[in-house]
Amino acid sequence: MGCIMYGLADCNNFFVSCERVFRPDLNGRPVIILSNNDGCVISRSNEAKRIGIKMGQPFYQLKQMIQRYDVTVFSSNYVLYGDMSKRVQMTLQSLVPATEVYSIDESFLDLRGIEDVKLDDFGHHISYVVQRNTGIPISVGIAPTKTLAKIASKLCKQYPKLRGSCFMHRPEDIEKVLKKFPIEDVWGIGRRFSAMLKSRSINTAYDFTQMPMNLVQSLMHVGGVKTWRELRGEPCVEFEEQSKDKQQITVSRSFSKELADADDVRQQVALFTSMAAEKLRKQGSVCHEVMVFLLTNRHREDKPQQFANRLIRLPVATDSTLELVNVASNTAAELVQEPYEYKKAGVILSDITPKSAMQTVLFDEVDHEKQDRLMSALDAINKKQGARSVVVASAGFEGVRMNREHLSPNYTTEWGEILEVKG
Amino acid sequence: MDIYSPKTHKDKVPLVEGIRAGFPSPAEDFADPTLDLNRYVIKNPASTFYARITGDSMEGAGISDGDIVVIDKSLEPKDGSIAVCFIDGEFTLKRIKLEKGKLLLMPANPKFHPIEITEENHFVVWGIVTYIIKELKGS
């Protein structure tokens, strides 16, 4: 028999694993990675999990623990993680007919055409080759649906005995696993629905599959029914081979210190916007909407808190840094209010369409052709001279000053920072 | 989250374009990309890494202080491979020797001694060296 099987390859504690490739001395030791600006924990080694460090925990709360357990701390090095992610994806692509990159550390695998009897060995082979070629340990889950494949890969992490791959296909095995699998960990359930389900005594994935379909439909609509079906072994989430253009581009960062002045905020938002606009042009798209948001520091309970945001609809879709920066930075300056001090800001470009399909308005006042030439020149210079050599004046010249006190070398992207080996 | 990694050899523009004003260049249709060292030296981009060598224990194998080695992690270590090894907390470059069930790390310099790997060592072969990049001083 040959029903279609879905695979999920998920890198274990990915950011920590990336650092460990170049620091094998850290294997078996507690390691954590901090978010942008060294704010909070975003990746933990198993040893760090074991001593009780929580995901999202603010760094300042951990100082004692770090000393006591000799925890190694890294600032996030997205250049390194991005490069390692690409290597994992390339390796996966060389092993299976097609992959769908789901996130920086997860890819779905198309396993059509591979006989069921071989899938168990094949999963282990994938896991072995990725670890050998890139140094990154992964967990491969193989099952009749994507949702079940995700659960299978989580099992590998819980049970080292599975040696990095779990092929879960017999209905009786699936049932056994689902009976122990917490509902809140099921892909697509989310925090809100899991709270609602728990209040109805639906605690495991299995409990959920036993609900009547029309009840799921009325409580959770189409999305819930999809998950319900997938858990019952009926594939509903298709395999998406083509990486679609992003429907939304977000650039957001924390500032190194709280900002209260409208001009300071304007400058930062201008910089984020120019980064977002560059991404937009890179994928050959234009956007119709710009959203700007500002956030105060929620860990400062002694200070007034605010989340301010505004969505602006542009008369004509654009990919121009000048137009977007202008709109976004003015909006940001207007959003700034006393007495708030802002810790984070972001820009979201949305309603994105391909540039080729762009419709123009008869009375558009912007000379788009001229702007296009300017933008290509700007991208070309930034590419050649290093990112952000040329910026729109309001973006300022210092860039985002980020706190990254524990940054590792860019082992794979900077000649000056490659590994040193004693000969 | 969006992740970028630096461009290597993609998006290269052939240089013949600027001549358009006069006669079309007869070479234009034949503009192949320039020879690319990456394509020569890197067989498996996903598993290729670089390291800078400090020290002279592998001098006899042509690898000197300051050289850069190209490492392929996808290759299995064999007797005679030059490997980047991680032993007891340190990266080291040595030639692997398998002899009567023993694993030895061999230097290529009489000033250094072979290291025998035992169960007590924390040891992994990190990757196999495939090329050496050596700048000729005084050239």
Side-chain angles (χ1 to χ4, degrees), chain A residues 21-66:
Chain A
V21 170
F22 304 93
R23 292 284 308 275
D25 58 303
L26 297 178
N27 285 320
R29 302 204 43 78
V31 180
I32 56 171
I33 313 293
L34 303 176
S35 61
N36 274 332
N37 243 341
D38 292 349
C40 56
V41 178
I42 53 165
S43 179
R44 304 163 295 161
S45 71
N46 290 345
E47 297 77 12
K49 291 175 190 173
R50 229 170 279 141
I51 58 175
I53 296 178
K54 297 272 173 290
M55 199 68 171
Q57 201 168 353
F59 182 40
Y60 68 84
Q61 290 179 2
L62 290 170
K63 301 262 150 104
Q64 271 189 341
M65 205 159 202
I66 284 163

Side-chain angles (χ1 to χ4, degrees), chain A residues 185-205:
Chain A
D185 291 345
V186 172
W187 186 40
I189 290 290
R191 218 183 304 168
R192 204 162 53 91
F193 281 137
S194 62
M196 182 273 289
L197 290 168
K198 280 183 169 173
S199 73
R200 297 175 167 261
S201 303
I202 306 291
N203 293 310
T204 66

Side-chain angles (χ1 to χ4, degrees), chain A residues 374-394:
Chain A
L374 178 59
M375 288 306 113
S376 342
L378 191 132
D379 287 344
I381 295 171
N382 280 341
K383 196 159 162 191
K384 212 164 141 188
Q385 310 287 334
R388 260 153 282 296
S389 304
V390 178
V391 294
V392 178
S394 58

Side-chain angles (χ1 to χ4, degrees), chain B residues 24 27 31 48 71 90 99 118 122:
Chain B
T48 299
I71 305 157
E90 201 175 52
E99 195 183 61
T118 65
H122 173 52

Side-chain angles (χ1 to χ4, degrees), chain A residues 78-130:
Chain A
Y78 286 113
V79 176
L80 177 66
Y81 310 153
D83 184 73
M84 293 306 289
S85 167
K86 201 179 69 188
R87 290 167 183 267
V88 170
Q89 286 160 17
M90 280 166 76
T91 309
L92 291 171
Q93 278 156 14
S94 72
L95 294 167
V96 300
T99 67
E100 174 197 332
V101 177
Y102 180 68
S103 71
I104 189 167
D105 56 359
E106 283 173 286
S107 292
F108 285 107
L109 312 174
D110 184 350
L111 300 171
R112 269 173 282 200
I114 296 161
E115 289 171 70
D116 282 5
V117 286
K118 291 188 180 152
L119 277 171
D120 188 39
D121 285 344
F122 189 59
H124 284 104
H125 177 67
I126 293 171
S127 180
Y128 166 75
V129 173
V130 170

Side-chain angles (χ1 to χ4, degrees), chain A residues 268-306:
Chain A
Q268 297 287 327
V269 167
L271 179 65
F272 302 160
T273 312
S274 61
M275 291 158 85
E278 210 174 303
K279 292 184 193 180
L280 186 67
R281 288 196 294 278
K282 211 165 173 183
Q283 68 173 44
S285 310
V286 291
C287 74
H288 233 297
E289 286 173 351
V290 187
M291 156 110 113
V292 178
F293 65 85
L294 305 176
L295 273 170
T296 49
N297 188 350
R298 66 190 175 88
H299 295 298
R300 291 293 303 269
E301 282 156 16
D302 53 320
K303 290 190 172 172
Q305 300 287 315
Q306 193 198 27

Side-chain angles (χ1 to χ4, degrees), chain B residues 100-119:
Chain B
K100 298 172 207 139
K102 277 190 199 166
L103 172 59
L104 294 157
L105 298 186
M106 305 299 292
N109 182 336
K111 285 192 285 184
F112 293 80
H113 300 291
I115 305 164
E116 191 188 331
I117 303 300
T118 65
E119 280 182 5

